Amino acid sequence: MCTGKCSHCIAVSLYPSVLISIACNILLFFPSWDNKYAKDGNLTVEVKYMGGVLGGGILVLITALYINLIGAKGCCGNRLWMLVSIFFALGGAAGGMYSFIVAFLGLKNGPFCKNAGTWSTPFIDSNWTYLIDSQSWEKCTEPPNVVRFNAGLFMTLMVISSLQVLLCAIQVINGLLGCLCGTCSRKEEV
């Protein structure tokens, strides 16, 4: 496969992951589908870091756009573009890693919720056990079902960001091959 076509395939695969990442992060601002928690500042700290919007969203989108441009015609005829795509892919991988780390911490620490009348993070020292002990979720009285809500969205962000890092790593290898070995360029037969 031509390195330009490979770049195009990678970019097209990154676009849906960017949308999912941004959507998950935005949804995290509305636990129980209510905006009053965002207004009052009663959100999990990791939601405010916006890993899905900044890392898995904007940084990966910039990477996908550039990679798509170099692979738009199927084959890229410029080794320099492939070299530059390596740096863009590394930036996209860094964005994906940021999104993964923020989601990982959000899942590890658990949600910020009302527990025994006060707002706190009751699962911060649970060592992940709260995820398999659904009875402990009753500690969070408000927002309703916040543990399930946060866990589902943070897990989705972790999966999506892992995919983004993998695709960007493949583009680094593809860019390196395109830069060192040359890109394919078929001459049109008349």
Side-chain angles (χ1 to χ4, degrees), residues 8-30:
H8 181 70
C9 290
I10 290 170
V12 168
S13 300
L14 284 173
Y15 290 132
S17 73
V18 167
L19 291 175
I20 293 169
S21 184
I22 291 171
C24 285
N25 202 142
I26 289 171
L27 288 174
L28 282 165
F29 279 95
F30 305 102

Side-chain angles (χ1 to χ4, degrees), residues 25-180:
N25 202 142
I26 289 171
L27 288 174
L28 282 165
F29 279 95
F30 305 102
S32 297
W33 310 106
D34 196 345
N35 67 349
K36 76 176 183 177
Y37 304 107
K39 283 184 196 176
D40 298 339
N42 294 326
L43 294 172
T44 306
V45 174
E46 290 80 10
V47 173
K48 298 173 188 176
Y49 294 157
M50 297 188 54
V53 172
L54 299 176
I58 294 171
L59 281 175
V60 174
L61 179 62
I62 292 168
T63 299
L65 289 171
Y66 180 79
I67 292 171
N68 195 28
L69 285 175
I70 65 168
K73 293 184 180 176
C75 288
C76 177
N78 190 334
R79 290 181 185 216
L80 178 62
W81 286 8
M82 294 305 281
L83 176 65
V84 174
S85 79
I86 294 170
F87 296 108
F88 274 92
L90 289 172
M97 283 302 299
Y98 175 69
S99 179
F100 182 87
I101 291 168
V102 170
F104 177 85
L105 291 173
L107 196 59
K108 180 188 176 297
N109 296 337
F112 185 73
C113 61
K114 192 176 251 187
N115 176 28
T118 61
W119 288 91
S120 66
T121 310
F123 305 112
I124 198 161
D125 295 323
S126 71
N127 294 325
W128 302 92
T129 56
Y130 81 95
L131 290 171
I132 56 174
D133 181 18
S134 61
Q135 298 298 326
S136 68
W137 297 356
E138 295 171 4
K139 288 181 183 179
C140 287
T141 57
E142 193 179 346
N145 299 317
V146 69
V147 177
R148 180 174 291 133
F149 186 82
N150 276 18
L153 290 171
F154 278 131
M155 283 183 196
T156 303
L157 277 171
M158 287 175 65
V159 169
I160 291 297
S161 60
S162 297
L163 178 66
Q164 290 173 335
V165 170
L166 177 65
L167 288 170
C168 287
I170 292 170
Q171 178 56 33
V172 168
I173 295 167
N174 181 50
L176 189 61
L177 289 174
C179 183
L180 296 177

